[in-house]
Amino acid sequence: MPAPLSHQQQQRDDSDRKLLTRVAAGDREAFRELYIAYHRRLARFLTRLTRRYDVAEEIINDALWVVWKRASDFRGDSRVSTWIMGIAYRRALKTLSSRGQQQFVAAPLDSQPLVAADEIGAAETSEWILLGMERLSVEQRMVIEFAYGYGHSCEEIAEIMDCPVNTVKTRLFHARAKLRAVLPGLAGTGPASGESR
Amino acid sequence: MNDHARASGLLVWMVNGRIEPSDSRWLSEHLDGCAACRRELSVERRVRDAVAREPTVEFAPQSSFNRLWERIEGERDMAVPDSPATVAHQHQVMPPDSAPLARAGRRAWLPVAMAAQAAVILLLCGVLWQRSTAPAYRTVTDSAPASAAMGPVIKAIFSDDVRLADVKEILASTGLVVVSGPSEAGVYALAPGDPRDGPVTQEAAARLRTDPRVRFAEIGAR
């Protein structure tokens, strides 16, 4: 049984489907609407992934160019956002590969915490979480982005990343474990958890 | 798998709203009696809030769309001679039923267009073979020549509705090239494309500021 969509997600998908049908018919205005809607969503994770807005925008335009060309190929058996995210994800991997991932991706994870537990305040937690994500592999970061940032289900993430559902679960498991390793405040022992003293 | 491990694996789907109803019921019952998993739930919510937070960067999707649309129209112009079907396709919203006809029309032109394109490519290959020089073209945001890689730059922001052709025109009229950018704030770093022009000047920045398509232009460090 597929994970249910919220009312808002269902409404957005209905709207996206209507737009995509018009895009498949060559409707520029529908494409512009879809583009504007997805530009912000894609820019969020692509800017974090590449750490360069110009590269993120290049990937966005490459991905949405594919959407324009292939709109009529959309089979309709997944959410439109899943389909578009999958295209953007593959374009991002291709760009990272062609330009060299080390240009964009932070140093590999080490076992040292980024910050001591008692240095994390609740207001800073978000910043540290995002910093901690930079220590994850690209695949682990993307699982976190798609699950927490975009509300995709496990099955949808598997489709986006073109991998088995169990691979998504494994990547998520390790990503969460690594986040906790570098951010001890998240492990339930720091003040951010309210349980340390 | 014990209950805590099962709960831990489900928490992410609870906080992102994609948990299955039967799992949701089980997890709610488990959380009622498990303080450790409730703490973990609050951590998961903080991760979600951090990752889903909107960026503070101001994006300009309309100008990005304009660039993509120029690319699409450019490809269409390259591939297909103007015909009534393509003119309609470019300039108005087409009803869904007419799209297959238009596409069929485009396909009919395709062999001719491809043959013409192949001829142009062959001709260009010949020219390049004879000259054996580096390509004379360069895109707006390609790496700038070495001459532009040192010294101060002009930091410029173009209007939101500026088109790629406008940027090219502005750069050509001032002899500047894009050294880097746009930054997250939409700032381009510009420098003279020809080393004989020397460093950037206040006059060049002032000339840029007089152009209504330029919102900001100041000399700054690289």
Side-chain angles (χ1 to χ4, degrees), chain B residues 111-128:
Chain B
V112 178
M114 288 176 70
Q117 193 177 29
V120 170
I121 289 169
L122 280 173
L123 183 63
L124 284 173
C125 285
V127 171
L128 289 173

Side-chain angles (χ1 to χ4, degrees), chain B residues 91-183:
Chain B
H91 297 296
Q92 68 185 36
V93 173
M94 297 174 67
D97 325 356
S98 63
L101 289 174
R103 288 179 178 179
R106 288 207 299 277
R107 279 195 294 272
W109 281 100
L110 202 55
V112 178
M114 288 176 70
Q117 193 177 29
V120 170
I121 289 169
L122 280 173
L123 183 63
L124 284 173
C125 285
V127 171
L128 289 173
W129 175 264
Q130 284 186 327
R131 293 174 61 187
S132 296
T133 57
Y137 64 85
R138 199 166 58 76
T139 61
V140 172
T141 53
D142 269 355
S143 299
S147 61
M150 304 294 288
V153 293
I154 295 177
K155 298 196 169 178
I157 300 176
F158 299 105
S159 302
D160 288 343
D161 57 350
V162 75
R163 295 159 59 90
L164 183 60
D166 292 323
V167 175
K168 286 178 180 170
E169 185 189 312
I170 293 167
L171 295 177
S173 68
T174 54
L176 298 169
V177 296
V178 174
V179 177
S180 64
S183 69

